[in-house]
Amino acid sequence: MKRCFLCFVFAVISILSVNAQEYKFPEPIKAVADSRNKTIEMILDYRFKGGHWAFQKLFYKNFVYPEAARNACAIGISIINITVNCSGQLENVVVKNSLGYGVELEIKKVLSLPEAEWNSCKDDKYTRFEIPILFVTQGTQTNRVDPYIVVEGENPGFVCKNDKYYWDRAVKYLKKKKGKKAISYLDILIKRNPMTTEFFEIKKQAIKMMK
């Protein structure tokens, strides 16, 4: 009887400690983002004709947010992996963390435009590089520190949910030890910003709750 009582006490303490745990929304480290983006600018100034300003202008001017993506609130940071040989020819474009709904096709279309010209190089070190670009609809509050470029499209007639909406619900279910429910919201946050590693760590906690 005493043993059962102790088990009950430990169980209650465990539940209280989980519920009392504070989950703080992961904030991007600006210094890290600034350093990374400075490196990207240096590479683009060397490889892209017209430099990094011309590259940014290319996206701001030509990227068309697919209607299906806007209607689905497809928002997030895509990592654009670009390979350009030293002759200045675009060889490959791989979109990591693709948002779907035609966004990846639109990215590749922009990079295939005639005005997307590349300079030659003498060092293979600068033939492959990654550029994080945030695609977001107007009025949606999301992280704008980690990406190098923020491409904003018109909202679909309503404002898509902010990051905080998904975070609050993830925390709600984490505190209730409902890992599966928490993961459904954490996955959206990871899609929105795969560069914030804390989201992945918190997801590991949610997975453990399911075992």
Side-chain angles (χ1 to χ4, degrees):
M1 183 72 180
K2 184 177 179 181
R3 188 174 180 182
C4 291
F5 176 73
L6 289 174
C7 290
F8 173 76
V9 171
F10 285 130
V12 171
I13 291 172
S14 176
I15 291 170
L16 289 175
S17 64
V18 169
N19 289 335
Q21 183 175 352
E22 291 298 324
Y23 290 96
K24 186 178 179 182
F25 187 83
E27 296 291 345
I29 302 172
K30 190 174 185 303
V32 173
D34 287 346
S35 176
R36 179 177 56 245
N37 291 342
K38 191 173 182 180
T39 299
I40 292 171
E41 286 188 355
M42 180 270 293
I43 293 172
L44 288 175
D45 284 344
Y46 176 46
R47 294 305 325 269
F48 194 76
K49 191 159 288 188
H52 71 276
W53 288 115
F55 185 86
Q56 290 181 6
K57 184 179 178 181
L58 180 76
F59 267 90
Y60 293 143
K61 181 181 177 182
N62 297 289
F63 184 86
V64 178
Y65 222 117
E67 185 178 358
R70 293 189 298 110
N71 289 337
C73 289
I75 292 168
I77 298 174
S78 287
I79 315 297
I80 319 303
N81 189 306
I82 301 172
T83 303
V84 184
N85 64 32
C86 274
S87 297
Q89 297 171 320
L90 180 67
E91 290 188 343
N92 197 21
V93 176
V94 176
V95 180
K96 299 179 182 178
N97 194 45
S98 176
L99 304 180
Y101 300 98
V103 173
E104 181 174 343
L105 292 175
E106 187 66 21
I107 291 169
K108 292 181 177 181
K109 187 183 82 174
V110 171
L111 289 172
S112 298
L113 291 171
E115 53 264 49
E117 298 182 77
W118 300 88
N119 297 321
S120 58
C121 65
K122 297 180 180 178
D123 191 337
D124 287 345
K125 178 182 176 182
Y126 299 107
T127 57
R128 186 173 179 177
F129 40 91
E130 292 185 338
I131 301 175
I133 302 179
L134 170 63
F135 300 97
V136 63
T137 54
Q138 292 173 349
T140 307
Q141 294 179 2
T142 185
N143 165 50
R144 299 187 182 219
V145 173
D146 279 330
Y148 173 65
I149 296 176
V150 177
V151 177
E152 192 172 73
E154 291 184 7
N155 66 48
F158 56 89
V159 177
C160 296
K161 291 181 174 64
N162 299 326
D163 285 0
K164 190 174 184 301
Y165 171 87
Y166 298 105
W167 174 252
D168 288 345
R169 276 148 187 79
V171 170
K172 172 185 172 182
Y173 290 111
L174 285 167
K175 289 184 176 180
K176 290 183 176 181
K177 297 195 73 175
K178 294 184 177 180
K180 188 174 181 180
K181 282 276 191 181
I183 288 170
S184 65
Y185 293 105
L186 289 169
D187 281 342
I188 294 172
L189 291 168
I190 289 170
K191 175 66 70 173
R192 287 191 170 201
N193 189 359
M195 306 181 81
T196 300
T197 57
E198 288 91 334
F199 288 137
F200 292 94
E201 294 303 316
I202 296 169
K203 182 176 177 179
K204 287 180 183 177
Q205 295 178 31
I207 292 171
K208 287 180 180 178
M209 291 176 184
M210 296 170 60
K211 294 180 180 179

